[in-house]
Amino acid sequence: MTATESRPGATPAGQAPSGAPARGVQSVKFSFYRVADHVRRAPAAERAAIGEALTALLASSSERMLTRVYSTVGTRADVDFLLWQMHDDLEVITDWHAELLRSPLGAALDRPHSYLSMTMRSQYSNELHEGARQRERLRSDGGTNKYLFVYPMAKTKAWYELLTAERQEMMAEHIAIGHRYHDIKINTTYSYGLDSQEFVVAFEGDDPGEFLALVRELRDSRASRYTLFDTPMFTCRLLPAEGLAAHLGLAGANG
Amino acid sequence: MTATESRPGATPAGQAPSGAPARGVQSVKFSFYRVADHVRRAPAAERAAIGEALTALLASSSERMLTRVYSTVGTRADVDFLLWQMHDDLEVITDWHAELLRSPLGAALDRPHSYLSMTMRSQYSNELHEGARQRERLRSDGGTNKYLFVYPMAKTKAWYELLTAERQEMMAEHIAIGHRYHDIKINTTYSYGLDSQEFVVAFEGDDPGEFLALVRELRDSRASRYTLFDTPMFTCRLLPAEGLAAHLGLAGANG
Amino acid sequence: MTATESRPGATPAGQAPSGAPARGVQSVKFSFYRVADHVRRAPAAERAAIGEALTALLASSSERMLTRVYSTVGTRADVDFLLWQMHDDLEVITDWHAELLRSPLGAALDRPHSYLSMTMRSQYSNELHEGARQRERLRSDGGTNKYLFVYPMAKTKAWYELLTAERQEMMAEHIAIGHRYHDIKINTTYSYGLDSQEFVVAFEGDDPGEFLALVRELRDSRASRYTLFDTPMFTCRLLPAEGLAAHLGLAGANG
Amino acid sequence: MTATESRPGATPAGQAPSGAPARGVQSVKFSFYRVADHVRRAPAAERAAIGEALTALLASSSERMLTRVYSTVGTRADVDFLLWQMHDDLEVITDWHAELLRSPLGAALDRPHSYLSMTMRSQYSNELHEGARQRERLRSDGGTNKYLFVYPMAKTKAWYELLTAERQEMMAEHIAIGHRYHDIKINTTYSYGLDSQEFVVAFEGDDPGEFLALVRELRDSRASRYTLFDTPMFTCRLLPAEGLAAHLGLAGANG
Amino acid sequence: MTATESRPGATPAGQAPSGAPARGVQSVKFSFYRVADHVRRAPAAERAAIGEALTALLASSSERMLTRVYSTVGTRADVDFLLWQMHDDLEVITDWHAELLRSPLGAALDRPHSYLSMTMRSQYSNELHEGARQRERLRSDGGTNKYLFVYPMAKTKAWYELLTAERQEMMAEHIAIGHRYHDIKINTTYSYGLDSQEFVVAFEGDDPGEFLALVRELRDSRASRYTLFDTPMFTCRLLPAEGLAAHLGLAGANG
């Protein structure tokens, strides 16, 4: 597991070496959509028109910001796909969503889950990954794995009552476990005050069975005692943006 | 952070210098709306008519009471916009909502979240902000920031078992943290007995990343141990009332 | 606060002077309704017909039993009005509701919340209100205030483990606080075994700001530690029954 | 209160005198239905056809198994009636429900609540009711009272950590309280592993005020400390099966 | 009870004899469906066409992977049937679900519950069933019993704080109880990180009364203290895949 949310060194937790507290940098949006029931019942031509609008809007998102598309068909019953967007300016993201709502897609997609977060320098140092120092943006080596495993998360109040050194020690154990799973990449983003969870955690990997083993092992770590919630959990499969409409049955050929 | 909910001095908590307990003064309503699915599917002319009714009703609200409009498009999936209204007389607010329901908007807007509260003199003194003394109305310098961060809140029972001096001490720590974030304004309102939360808290600021840092830091404060719930959290973007219809795709030009 | 749920004297809690345990006397029904979305979209004539049926049914209820009507428009988003009915015989109440369901109103009103309860002699004595002795029916001086504040309530298990004398002492503190708010009337009714809450509590008053202060003060009382839940809370505004249809946009003049 | 769920004697709890553990005997199904909104809006002839199908299906159920019908109109907002069915073979019950779904009723009835359970010999002895010995089927003297009070129930984990003798002692206190309410009959059924509750409890009586008093008194008993949940609670009124359609507005005369 | 999730021997828990931690092997999907209301109201020919599509898709699933079909009609109100699928490659499962959504069935079936899991070597040894050693795939003797009892499950945090030996001891007690119920087969699968539960447990048996007795007895075992949740519980009845459409009223003969 390669961590993106780490910062080594002797500086007090939560503060940059300069003394300024860490703050949010990039805005990150996880939007889970489901094709509305009335669209599934619509004639093929209507579905194809919606599919074309979807493809065009995704292309527009990719031009403006980091955009990734994942299918949740067959792993979740309440959603069909995940759209993952990142930009330094939250308005670029929200402007795109306003366009979507004003388009024919606004009536065609249900929106069962949505998570807003930001990247931020981690509170905790990572002895195993020097390159993670000062990282405060989303990792640049992502988007290549077959699966994304996502969940919103919050810590218990007891966690925030621990001393910084205690938390650091537990996070070191947590990081050491993850380090043994080299093929799993972690992206931790922060939602304090912006949305109802404290974190949105997204793991990338090619093998669900390996990720299952990692999370099983993390259950025994001390930091896990301080998890308030980490559900719903989503297993998502990477799709090329231009293939989403066909995958969802919104392409002309499906008529 | 500039606090609006504070009162310095030696008077016992919960009582005005005159000895009378603090009581609610202004009524405050946070109404979250979502354009109904059947409106999103309606012809352009019908949507435009609804947009015109919306613009007229918002103008009517602004004439009668303090009225602010925020978009939640792209930050939340369950709501599209927030209407924030304040008046000394609750009936002025409820009369307006009865008008909305009797208008074509009554069938056009879903109402997923609603929070009723009042302004009230704070129980706690604020050594850092003398001007906050005796403040029992909504701050007059609001409505200028790009973002509003809103959530309903309740304290645990353990909080109400603490001595007044203990609560005051924790609130002082809380206030001191906020004081370092000069660009964030706080509006605390009270809902005891009127609605299902105890408080509705609304922060104004221009930078989500700064607010994220503030809430992250507050998690370590002692008062945070006594939060029963503080969700759902809403990140809202200020809009001119007359621009809302177009933003939502309810303006003629979107046909 | 004038209490309706009290009984002074030396008799053991939960028993009448004769030794028989208190039992339910009058049946009380709180029914929260919302005009269905399809009615809001219906033509004016159809809405007016529904409004006429509503007015006639309310008149019929008033003839048969104590009936009060309150609007929740603008204070709650999930309901439009509250119908409060009381009768010695539960069947009179349920017969009326069967009539409503068989009428055109059956398809016109959603029913998001419903609370069934009974009046019963209180377990606790009230030193401050001798007239409350042996009261086991709904107070006769109600229905005149502008607002009704209603919530379902249950006590924690720890409450029922306390000695009778301890509960009595806490209720005395509770009653003493309420006694200082002369303009607020309380109606406590009981739901043990009949519905999912243990109590339905309804306060009458003219000023939300005063009620807010009362509930704020009660939070510091010892009895409040033993509240398991007291939500959802409803702020309701008294309406003449014959004015409800027009208030809801179901009168002919609104076409 | 006459208990149906008891077994006296010196045999260890949970085991028959022969040493075999108690096991489920009769299958019991509590099905709560609500007339769908589109049926309430349908023309009278269509509603009458649905009513006829309902009457025929209830007659068919009565021929095959013990069948009782109760109205919840006016006591609950989410359901209209309860169908209570019992048979030694679960397939007889499920076959009937498959018939219902294949009939026009399948589209006409919403199904908000459903509880599956079985009769089983009680774990606890009943010194006050020798006739209850070895009872492992539903009582034969039921179905004659005006009201049925039903709720699903589960015990806390702490209950299952108690010694058998401790549980027996608490149940004896519980049974003694109930014994003083001669006019209330109790039917306890078991759902371990079959449905999301552990028990479904159904009380029969003619007077809601008396049942209210019983449940109020039981709150002070020690066994009540170990209740994890006992909601939702349903107050149901006995109806002749052939009168249900008319009661619900599904009879020809209501057109 | 014959356990499929066991591994005897002296190797540390969570690790194979070779030292590698156990990892997920086969993907398992439990999909609960309900015929949509609009399908129940559709003409017979339309329902028959949907039934034919369902039969064909189930046949296609059976060709590609282990596929079992169960009815929940009459035992649950929120779902009509369960589709249980297993394959070494998760993509084979999700591809099939994408096909279903693109077919006419996509609009015909609601999807109220869905559980994704994997098979994995158990953490715990089973002294009573040597053949279970190293088992890490679904048992091969399943699919023959009349009933399946399914629930999602998670353990409390306290469970993961126990020593491995303590957990092993409790699981041995748990396994010994199950061993006495020879006619009940257990299938334990794992969801850590993949879905919102930690386990999906599925028991096969012919007699609900016997399974009720087993779960009743397990409530007294020590391991049960560490169950965080084990609901919703589903009682499912085995159906031949080709009989499902007729069972649901989607066959031509039901017109």
Side-chain angles (χ1 to χ4, degrees):
Chain A
M1 193 167 72
T2 330
T4 190
E5 30 77 86
S6 52
R7 182 185 52 77
T11 318
Q15 300 208 357
S18 66
R23 38 168 291 171
V25 177
Q26 289 180 296
S27 290
V28 183
K29 184 76 203 304
F30 299 83
S31 305
F32 289 90
Y33 293 101
R34 179 182 164 130
V35 177
D37 286 344
H38 70 90
V39 175
R40 293 239 167 264
R41 304 204 290 259
E46 194 177 316
R47 278 185 282 129
I50 286 166
E52 280 168 34
L54 176 60
T55 303
L57 269 159
L58 292 178
S60 160
S61 178
S62 294
E63 282 166 19
R64 297 187 226 170
M65 63 195 110
L66 202 161
T67 301
R68 290 182 195 144
V69 173
Y70 294 86
S71 169
T72 57
V73 171
T75 63
R76 296 277 308 183
D78 53 348
V79 288
D80 289 344
F81 68 96
L82 161 65
L83 177 63
W84 189 15
Q85 297 169 307
M86 290 138 277
H87 196 277
D88 277 23
D89 186 350
L90 175 56
E91 287 192 29
V92 174
I93 296 175
T94 61
D95 282 347
W96 183 89
H97 284 269
E99 280 179 41
L100 180 145
L101 281 186
R102 289 190 298 257
S103 81
L105 276 180
L109 296 179
D110 295 337
R111 299 169 262 162
H113 300 284
S114 159
Y115 305 105
L116 176 66
S117 60
M118 298 189 82
T119 61
M120 187 166 69
R121 215 172 44 234
S122 172
Q123 307 271 111
Y124 306 103
S125 65
N126 180 348
E127 300 291 338
L128 301 169
H129 197 299
E130 278 295 323
R133 184 187 184 97
Q134 298 289 3
R135 183 182 293 163
E136 60 181 23
R137 292 171 167 278
L138 208 72
R139 59 190 312 144
S140 53
D141 61 343
T144 58
N145 293 100
K146 189 180 287 185
Y147 289 102
L148 186 77
F149 308 97
V150 184
Y151 54 85
M153 206 249 279
K155 291 286 198 183
T156 62
K157 284 170 197 158
W159 174 258
Y160 296 102
E161 295 186 59
L162 296 172
L163 295 177
T164 298
E166 292 173 314
R167 295 188 225 174
Q168 174 65 56
E169 189 184 342
M170 290 187 203
M171 287 309 292
E173 179 200 13
H174 192 92
I175 289 167
I177 293 172
H179 193 69
R180 296 209 309 273
Y181 292 80
H182 302 286
D183 297 333
I184 305 285
K185 300 173 201 155
I186 180 170
N187 301 276
T188 301
T189 56
Y190 303 83
S191 299
Y192 294 104
L194 306 183
D195 205 344
S196 302
Q197 65 286 340
E198 294 181 347
F199 309 89
V200 184
V201 190
F203 293 85
E204 295 174 81
D206 289 323
D207 179 355
E210 183 183 12
F211 184 64
L212 177 72
L214 166 57
V215 177
R216 169 65 197 82
E217 200 169 343
L218 286 173
R219 277 294 192 284
D220 285 338
S221 74
R222 286 171 59 209
S224 293
R225 314 281 177 274
Y226 298 92
T227 300
L228 179 63
F229 67 82
D230 57 4
T231 59
M233 286 185 168
F234 300 88
T235 293
C236 312
R237 180 177 161 188
L238 186 65
L239 276 189
E242 60 277 14
L244 180 63
H247 178 75
L248 297 172
L250 302 177
N254 289 292
Chain B
M1 193 167 73
T2 330
T4 189
E5 31 76 85
S6 52
R7 183 185 52 78
T11 317
Q15 301 209 355
S18 67
R23 38 168 291 171
V25 177
Q26 288 180 296
S27 289
V28 183
K29 183 77 203 304
F30 298 83
S31 306
F32 289 91
Y33 292 101
R34 179 183 165 131
V35 177
D37 286 344
H38 70 90
V39 174
R40 293 239 167 264
R41 304 206 289 258
E46 194 177 316
R47 278 185 282 128
I50 286 166
E52 280 167 36
L54 175 60
T55 303
L57 269 159
L58 292 178
S60 159
S61 177
S62 294
E63 281 166 22
R64 298 186 226 171
M65 63 195 110
L66 202 160
T67 301
R68 290 181 196 145
V69 173
Y70 294 85
S71 169
T72 57
V73 171
T75 63
R76 296 279 305 183
D78 53 349
V79 287
D80 289 344
F81 68 96
L82 161 65
L83 177 63
W84 188 16
Q85 295 169 309
M86 290 138 276
H87 195 278
D88 277 23
D89 186 350
L90 175 55
E91 287 192 28
V92 174
I93 296 175
T94 60
D95 281 347
W96 183 89
H97 284 269
E99 280 178 41
L100 180 145
L101 281 185
R102 289 190 297 257
S103 81
L105 277 179
L109 296 179
D110 294 337
R111 301 168 261 162
H113 301 284
S114 159
Y115 305 105
L116 176 66
S117 60
M118 298 190 82
T119 61
M120 187 167 68
R121 218 173 42 234
S122 173
Q123 307 271 111
Y124 307 103
S125 66
N126 180 348
E127 301 291 337
L128 300 169
H129 196 301
E130 278 295 322
R133 183 187 186 95
Q134 298 289 5
R135 182 182 293 163
E136 60 180 24
R137 292 172 167 277
L138 208 73
R139 58 190 313 145
S140 54
D141 61 344
T144 58
N145 292 101
K146 189 180 288 185
Y147 290 102
L148 186 77
F149 308 97
V150 184
Y151 55 84
M153 204 249 279
K155 292 285 198 184
T156 61
K157 283 169 196 158
W159 174 257
Y160 295 102
E161 295 186 59
L162 295 172
L163 295 176
T164 298
E166 292 173 314
R167 294 188 225 174
Q168 174 64 57
E169 190 184 341
M170 291 187 202
M171 288 308 293
E173 180 200 14
H174 193 92
I175 290 168
I177 293 172
H179 194 69
R180 296 209 310 273
Y181 292 80
H182 301 286
D183 298 333
I184 305 285
K185 299 172 202 155
I186 179 169
N187 301 276
T188 302
T189 57
Y190 303 83
S191 298
Y192 294 105
L194 306 182
D195 205 344
S196 301
Q197 66 286 341
E198 293 181 348
F199 309 89
V200 184
V201 190
F203 293 85
E204 295 174 80
D206 289 324
D207 180 355
E210 183 183 11
F211 184 65
L212 177 73
L214 166 57
V215 177
R216 170 65 196 81
E217 200 169 343
L218 286 174
R219 277 293 191 286
D220 286 338
S221 74
R222 285 171 59 209
S224 293
R225 313 280 178 274
Y226 298 92
T227 299
L228 179 64
F229 67 80
D230 58 4
T231 58
M233 287 186 168
F234 300 87
T235 293
C236 313
R237 179 177 162 189
L238 187 64
L239 276 189
E242 60 277 13
L244 180 63
H247 178 75
L248 297 172
L250 302 177
N254 288 292
Chain C
M1 193 167 72
T2 328
T4 189
E5 31 77 86
S6 53
R7 183 184 52 79
T11 317
Q15 300 208 357
S18 67
R23 38 168 290 172
V25 177
Q26 289 181 295
S27 289
V28 184
K29 182 78 204 302
F30 298 82
S31 305
F32 289 90
Y33 293 101
R34 178 182 166 132
V35 177
D37 286 344
H38 70 89
V39 174
R40 294 238 168 263
R41 304 205 288 260
E46 193 176 317
R47 277 185 283 128
I50 286 166
E52 279 168 36
L54 176 60
T55 303
L57 268 160
L58 292 178
S60 160
S61 178
S62 295
E63 282 166 22
R64 297 187 226 171
M65 63 194 110
L66 203 161
T67 301
R68 290 182 195 144
V69 173
Y70 294 85
S71 170
T72 56
V73 171
T75 63
R76 297 277 309 183
D78 52 349
V79 287
D80 290 344
F81 69 95
L82 161 65
L83 176 63
W84 188 15
Q85 296 169 309
M86 289 138 276
H87 196 277
D88 278 23
D89 186 351
L90 175 56
E91 287 193 28
V92 174
I93 295 175
T94 60
D95 282 346
W96 183 89
H97 283 269
E99 280 178 41
L100 181 144
L101 282 185
R102 289 190 298 258
S103 82
L105 277 180
L109 296 178
D110 295 336
R111 301 168 262 163
H113 301 284
S114 160
Y115 305 105
L116 176 67
S117 60
M118 297 189 83
T119 61
M120 186 167 68
R121 218 172 42 234
S122 172
Q123 308 271 111
Y124 307 104
S125 66
N126 180 348
E127 301 291 337
L128 300 169
H129 197 300
E130 279 295 323
R133 186 189 183 94
Q134 299 289 3
R135 184 182 293 164
E136 60 180 23
R137 291 172 166 278
L138 208 73
R139 59 190 312 144
S140 54
D141 61 343
T144 58
N145 292 100
K146 190 180 286 184
Y147 290 101
L148 186 77
F149 308 97
V150 184
Y151 55 84
M153 205 249 280
K155 292 286 198 183
T156 62
K157 283 171 197 156
W159 174 257
Y160 295 102
E161 295 187 58
L162 295 172
L163 296 176
T164 299
E166 291 174 314
R167 294 188 226 174
Q168 174 63 55
E169 190 185 342
M170 290 187 202
M171 287 309 292
E173 179 199 15
H174 193 92
I175 289 166
I177 293 172
H179 193 69
R180 296 209 310 274
Y181 291 80
H182 301 286
D183 298 333
I184 306 285
K185 298 172 202 154
I186 180 169
N187 301 276
T188 302
T189 56
Y190 302 83
S191 299
Y192 293 103
L194 306 182
D195 205 345
S196 302
Q197 66 287 340
E198 293 181 348
F199 310 89
V200 184
V201 191
F203 294 85
E204 295 174 79
D206 290 324
D207 180 355
E210 183 182 11
F211 184 65
L212 177 72
L214 167 57
V215 177
R216 169 67 196 80
E217 201 168 342
L218 286 173
R219 277 293 193 283
D220 286 338
S221 74
R222 286 171 59 210
S224 293
R225 312 282 179 271
Y226 298 92
T227 300
L228 178 64
F229 66 81
D230 57 3
T231 58
M233 286 185 168
F234 301 87
T235 293
C236 313
R237 179 177 162 190
L238 187 64
L239 276 189
E242 60 276 15
L244 179 63
H247 178 75
L248 297 172
L250 302 177
N254 288 292
Chain D
M1 194 166 73
T2 329
T4 189
E5 31 76 85
S6 53
R7 184 184 52 78
T11 317
Q15 300 207 357
S18 67
R23 39 168 291 172
V25 177
Q26 289 180 295
S27 289
V28 183
K29 182 79 203 303
F30 298 83
S31 305
F32 290 91
Y33 293 100
R34 178 181 164 132
V35 177
D37 287 344
H38 70 90
V39 174
R40 293 239 167 264
R41 303 205 290 259
E46 193 176 317
R47 278 185 282 127
I50 286 166
E52 279 168 35
L54 175 60
T55 302
L57 269 158
L58 292 179
S60 160
S61 177
S62 294
E63 282 166 21
R64 297 188 226 170
M65 65 195 107
L66 202 161
T67 301
R68 290 182 196 144
V69 172
Y70 294 86
S71 169
T72 57
V73 171
T75 63
R76 297 279 307 184
D78 52 350
V79 287
D80 290 344
F81 69 96
L82 161 65
L83 177 62
W84 187 16
Q85 297 168 309
M86 289 138 278
H87 196 277
D88 277 23
D89 186 351
L90 175 55
E91 287 193 30
V92 174
I93 296 175
T94 61
D95 282 345
W96 183 89
H97 284 270
E99 280 178 41
L100 181 145
L101 282 185
R102 289 191 296 257
S103 81
L105 277 180
L109 296 178
D110 295 336
R111 301 169 262 163
H113 301 284
S114 161
Y115 305 105
L116 176 66
S117 60
M118 297 189 83
T119 60
M120 186 167 69
R121 216 172 43 235
S122 173
Q123 308 271 111
Y124 306 105
S125 66
N126 180 349
E127 301 290 337
L128 300 169
H129 197 299
E130 279 293 323
R133 185 187 185 96
Q134 297 289 3
R135 183 181 293 163
E136 60 181 23
R137 293 172 166 276
L138 208 72
R139 60 189 312 144
S140 53
D141 61 342
T144 58
N145 292 101
K146 190 180 285 184
Y147 290 102
L148 186 77
F149 308 97
V150 184
Y151 54 85
M153 205 249 279
K155 292 286 197 183
T156 62
K157 283 171 197 156
W159 174 258
Y160 296 102
E161 296 186 56
L162 295 172
L163 296 176
T164 299
E166 292 174 313
R167 294 188 225 174
Q168 173 65 56
E169 190 185 342
M170 290 188 202
M171 287 309 291
E173 179 199 14
H174 193 91
I175 290 167
I177 292 173
H179 193 70
R180 296 208 311 274
Y181 292 80
H182 301 285
D183 298 332
I184 306 285
K185 298 172 202 155
I186 180 170
N187 301 276
T188 302
T189 56
Y190 303 82
S191 299
Y192 294 103
L194 305 183
D195 205 344
S196 302
Q197 65 286 340
E198 294 181 346
F199 309 90
V200 184
V201 190
F203 294 85
E204 295 173 81
D206 290 322
D207 180 354
E210 183 183 11
F211 184 63
L212 177 72
L214 166 57
V215 177
R216 169 66 196 81
E217 201 169 342
L218 287 174
R219 278 293 193 283
D220 286 339
S221 74
R222 286 171 59 210
S224 293
R225 312 282 177 271
Y226 298 91
T227 300
L228 179 64
F229 66 81
D230 57 4
T231 59
M233 285 185 168
F234 301 87
T235 293
C236 313
R237 179 177 162 189
L238 186 64
L239 276 189
E242 60 276 15
L244 180 64
H247 179 75
L248 297 172
L250 302 177
N254 288 291
Chain E
M1 193 167 73
T2 330
T4 190
E5 30 76 87
S6 53
R7 183 183 53 77
T11 317
Q15 299 206 358
S18 66
R23 38 168 292 172
V25 177
Q26 289 180 296
S27 289
V28 183
K29 183 77 202 305
F30 297 83
S31 305
F32 289 91
Y33 293 101
R34 178 181 164 132
V35 177
D37 285 345
H38 70 89
V39 174
R40 293 238 167 264
R41 304 204 290 259
E46 193 176 317
R47 278 185 282 128
I50 287 166
E52 280 168 35
L54 175 60
T55 303
L57 269 158
L58 293 178
S60 159
S61 178
S62 294
E63 282 166 20
R64 297 186 227 171
M65 64 195 108
L66 201 161
T67 301
R68 291 182 195 143
V69 173
Y70 294 86
S71 169
T72 57
V73 170
T75 63
R76 297 276 310 182
D78 53 350
V79 287
D80 290 345
F81 69 95
L82 161 64
L83 177 62
W84 188 15
Q85 297 168 309
M86 289 136 277
H87 197 276
D88 277 23
D89 186 350
L90 175 55
E91 287 192 29
V92 174
I93 296 175
T94 61
D95 282 346
W96 182 89
H97 284 270
E99 279 179 42
L100 180 145
L101 282 185
R102 289 190 298 258
S103 82
L105 276 180
L109 296 178
D110 294 337
R111 300 169 262 162
H113 301 284
S114 160
Y115 305 105
L116 176 66
S117 60
M118 298 189 82
T119 60
M120 186 166 69
R121 216 173 43 235
S122 172
Q123 307 272 111
Y124 307 104
S125 66
N126 180 348
E127 301 290 338
L128 300 168
H129 196 300
E130 278 294 322
R133 185 186 184 97
Q134 298 289 6
R135 184 182 293 162
E136 59 181 24
R137 293 172 165 275
L138 208 72
R139 59 191 311 144
S140 53
D141 61 344
T144 59
N145 292 100
K146 190 180 285 184
Y147 289 101
L148 186 77
F149 308 97
V150 184
Y151 54 85
M153 206 249 279
K155 292 286 197 183
T156 61
K157 283 172 197 154
W159 174 258
Y160 295 102
E161 295 187 58
L162 295 172
L163 296 176
T164 298
E166 292 173 314
R167 294 189 225 173
Q168 174 64 56
E169 189 185 343
M170 290 187 203
M171 288 309 291
E173 179 200 14
H174 193 92
I175 289 167
I177 293 172
H179 193 69
R180 295 209 310 273
Y181 292 80
H182 302 285
D183 298 333
I184 306 285
K185 299 173 201 154
I186 179 169
N187 300 277
T188 302
T189 56
Y190 302 83
S191 299
Y192 294 104
L194 306 183
D195 204 344
S196 302
Q197 65 286 340
E198 294 180 347
F199 309 90
V200 184
V201 190
F203 293 85
E204 294 174 81
D206 289 324
D207 180 354
E210 184 183 11
F211 184 64
L212 177 72
L214 166 57
V215 177
R216 170 65 197 80
E217 202 169 342
L218 287 174
R219 277 293 192 284
D220 286 339
S221 73
R222 286 171 60 209
S224 293
R225 313 282 177 271
Y226 297 93
T227 300
L228 179 63
F229 67 81
D230 57 4
T231 59
M233 285 186 169
F234 301 86
T235 293
C236 313
R237 179 177 161 189
L238 186 65
L239 276 189
E242 60 277 14
L244 180 63
H247 179 75
L248 297 172
L250 303 177
N254 288 291

